[in-house]
Amino acid sequence: MERRTFLGVTAVSGAALLTGCKREEVQSAPAIGKRRKIRIKLATSWPANFPIMGEGVVRFAERVKEASGGDVEIKVFAKNLLVPALGVFDACSAGEIEAFHSGPYYWKGKNRAFSLFGGFPFGFTANEMGAWMVYGGGLELWRELYGRYNLYPLLGGNTDVQMGGWFRKRIESLEDLKGLKMRIPGLGGEVMAKLGVNPILLPAGEIYTALDRGTIDATEWVGPALDIKMGFYKVAKYYYSGFHEPGSVLELTFNKRFWEGLPSDIRALITSCAHELNSTMIYDFQAQNARALKKLEELGVSLENFPPQVVEAAKRALAAVIEEQSRLSPDFKRVWESIEPFWRENRAWSSLGLKNFLEMRDG
Ligand code: CA
């Protein structure tokens, strides 16, 4: 309502003075209070009411409606309601939906470089990722490469640091990883494969049973808040801190032609609301992970760190994976060349500032 009032008053203040009519009358005059109704179909890759990620998108849609005075209505569709969970990229590219919420690493089959926009093992924290995206050229590159698919991405949240996963047996050496069947997707899976792990992809609904029956020996998911809901602690006792997804990006992506056709003030409004979604999702993960961790400890989960030997081997494996991917894809190489100097520079600062502080605070 606020927005409409503002527009109406600004546009007709001269006329109002001339005719001396009241503010309310001005707004109801036909040519003046004309509203722009913009409706957006947004499909997600998440089930209905999915905590934090799915809920965040619903809040985003409500926020856009509120901030636009009701002009912009985004209808959010849970996965498979309108398009299949992993069909959102193509559907949006083709203009069947105007927008989607998902994660860029799902689309590495289209372009290997896309996985880097989601994050990488030993890579950016959520904060560092935002820094590269907004102030380090990441968003420009992402938009350029998505532009080839008629898509325009906005940052749509971040999972923050993820846990390394649930293991049925303790990992005490590199040997213990050999032949291990683990559900782990993306570049993390490729790094683990080089350590002898057999990475498996499984739909969310099948992971618990597979772990329970021993069809798989381990699984990663997200972090305490979402993992506890999956019940993994009931069937795998050892919960490892992780290096494979230190700050995974979620995307709020629009059909590019549709986006460019929106009035510039609406684009600005949606961009602001997306920034809000991006930061509040990180706060939500922080708050809920902390709460869930406490609960998991009460449930007797054994919190573990990978042995240094495993971590060192994983770092070497990452270097090999990056080299391979860069050889296979000029786009991957180009994105990596943007990331690498920024990554080194930011690690130095995060280590001096944040890591040392955390050691002083919690050590
Ligand atoms: Ca994960």
Side-chain angles (χ1 to χ4, degrees), residues 268-290:
L269 184 146
I270 291 174
T271 303
S272 292
C273 292
H275 275 299
E276 183 183 66
L277 162 68
N278 194 61
S279 44
T280 51
M281 192 186 290
I282 297 168
Y283 309 150
D284 204 4
F285 266 114
Q286 172 73 27
Q288 295 208 41
N289 277 333

Side-chain angles (χ1 to χ4, degrees), residues 74-106:
I74 300 178
K75 191 157 169 38
V76 178
F77 295 88
K79 72 169 182 183
N80 304 337
L81 279 182
L82 208 53
V83 278
L86 299 184
V88 293
F89 186 100
D90 287 337
C92 191
S93 174
E96 290 156 21
I97 51 174
E98 286 76 39
F100 70 88
H101 192 257
S102 191
Y105 78 67
Y106 289 127

Side-chain angles (χ1 to χ4, degrees), residues 35 41 78 88 92 123 130 142 151 162 166 176 191 201 220 232 266 273 302 325 330 332 339 348:
R35 297 191 60 172
K41 292 190 294 292
V88 293
C92 191
W142 192 9
L151 294 171
Q162 298 201 11
W166 299 85
D176 292 341
V191 165
L201 293 181
E220 71 83 54
F232 298 138
I266 298 295
C273 292
S302 181
Q325 299 287 318
F332 187 99
I339 286 175

Side-chain angles (χ1 to χ4, degrees), residues 105 162-163 183 185 220-222 244-245 248:
Y105 78 67
Q162 298 201 11
M163 286 294 283
R183 182 266 172 197
E220 71 83 54
W221 185 236
V222 185
H244 70 303
E245 289 191 76
S248 289

Side-chain angles (χ1 to χ4, degrees), residues 227-298:
D227 291 13
I228 198 170
K229 292 180 199 294
M230 296 288 274
F232 298 138
Y233 63 90
K234 295 177 202 157
V235 288
K237 189 174 163 204
Y238 304 103
Y239 194 27
Y240 279 79
S241 290
F243 54 75
H244 70 303
E245 289 191 76
S248 289
V249 167
L250 300 170
E251 62 185 317
L252 188 64
T253 292
F254 284 79
N255 175 283
K256 189 165 182 258
R257 254 191 303 280
F258 172 79
W259 177 260
E260 286 169 352
L262 288 172
S264 62
D265 59 324
I266 298 295
R267 287 202 303 260
L269 184 146
I270 291 174
T271 303
S272 292
C273 292
H275 275 299
E276 183 183 66
L277 162 68
N278 194 61
S279 44
T280 51
M281 192 186 290
I282 297 168
Y283 309 150
D284 204 4
F285 266 114
Q286 172 73 27
Q288 295 208 41
N289 277 333
R291 205 173 302 141
L293 172 62
K294 192 168 159 234
K295 218 165 177 182
L296 286 172
E297 285 185 285
E298 287 162 9

Side-chain angles (χ1 to χ4, degrees), residues 33-354:
K34 199 176 163 205
R35 297 191 60 172
R36 302 170 293 176
K37 267 286 178 196
I38 296 166
R39 291 179 202 280
I40 295 171
K41 292 190 294 292
L42 186 158
T44 78
S45 297
W46 329 121
N49 308 314
F50 193 53
I52 309 181
M53 286 142 72
E55 287 166 359
V57 189
V58 170
R59 259 199 329 269
F60 158 79
E62 286 164 0
R63 193 70 160 156
V64 169
K65 186 174 179 186
E66 184 189 5
S68 66
D71 285 0
V72 185
E73 275 194 52
I74 300 178
K75 191 157 169 38
V76 178
F77 295 88
K79 72 169 182 183
N80 304 337
L81 279 182
L82 208 53
V83 278
L86 299 184
V88 293
F89 186 100
D90 287 337
C92 191
S93 174
E96 290 156 21
I97 51 174
E98 286 76 39
F100 70 88
H101 192 257
S102 191
Y105 78 67
Y106 289 127
W107 324 121
K108 66 173 183 172
K110 302 198 179 286
N111 187 326
R112 289 171 193 272
F114 291 171
S115 60
L116 287 173
F117 297 117
F120 58 100
F122 300 106
F124 293 134
T125 63
N127 216 33
E128 292 166 345
M129 178 56 96
W132 174 65
M133 283 286 188
V134 180
Y135 298 107
L139 270 176
E140 282 89 349
L141 264 174
W142 192 9
R143 285 172 185 163
E144 183 196 321
L145 297 191
Y146 264 35
R148 295 180 195 162
Y149 293 86
N150 185 32
L151 294 171
Y152 181 88
L154 299 167
L155 288 174
N158 193 301
T159 65
D160 210 348
V161 64
Q162 298 201 11
M163 286 294 283
W166 299 85
F167 291 72
R168 285 160 58 95
K169 289 192 189 131
R170 192 177 258 132
I171 302 301
E172 281 162 353
S173 70
L174 264 176
E175 268 316 296
D176 292 341
L177 288 176
K178 303 262 187 278
L180 205 83
K181 291 191 286 294
M182 178 175 188
R183 182 266 172 197
I184 176 168
L187 290 169
E190 295 189 34
V191 165
M192 289 306 253
K194 291 210 180 292
L195 305 188
V197 169
N198 184 5
I200 312 246
L201 293 181
L202 277 178
E206 294 173 24
I207 307 173
Y208 179 90
T209 312
L211 193 60
D212 185 28
R213 293 187 182 154
T215 317
I216 56 172
D217 307 297
T219 184
E220 71 83 54
W221 185 236
V222 185
L226 296 185
D227 291 13
I228 198 170
K229 292 180 199 294
M230 296 288 274
F232 298 138
Y233 63 90
K234 295 177 202 157
V235 288
K237 189 174 163 204
Y238 304 103
Y239 194 27
Y240 279 79
S241 290
F243 54 75
H244 70 303
E245 289 191 76
S248 289
V249 167
L250 300 170
E251 62 185 317
L252 188 64
T253 292
F254 284 79
N255 175 283
K256 189 165 182 258
R257 254 191 303 280
F258 172 79
W259 177 260
E260 286 169 352
L262 288 172
S264 62
D265 59 324
I266 298 295
R267 287 202 303 260
L269 184 146
I270 291 174
T271 303
S272 292
C273 292
H275 275 299
E276 183 183 66
L277 162 68
N278 194 61
S279 44
T280 51
M281 192 186 290
I282 297 168
Y283 309 150
D284 204 4
F285 266 114
Q286 172 73 27
Q288 295 208 41
N289 277 333
R291 205 173 302 141
L293 172 62
K294 192 168 159 234
K295 218 165 177 182
L296 286 172
E297 285 185 285
E298 287 162 9
L299 290 165
V301 165
S302 181
L303 303 175
E304 306 281 340
N305 284 311
F306 289 118
Q309 184 200 23
V310 166
V311 176
E312 286 312 313
K315 285 182 180 172
R316 286 194 299 275
L318 173 71
V321 167
I322 297 288
E323 203 190 304
E324 277 168 21
Q325 299 287 318
S326 296
R327 216 172 32 238
L328 291 166
S329 157
D331 286 333
F332 187 99
K333 185 166 182 282
R334 195 168 148 230
V335 177
W336 179 252
E337 280 167 1
S338 164
I339 286 175
E340 199 193 14
F342 199 90
W343 182 46
R344 294 195 181 284
E345 199 171 85
N346 277 266
R347 279 164 58 183
W349 161 235
S350 294
S351 182
L352 183 79
L354 185 63

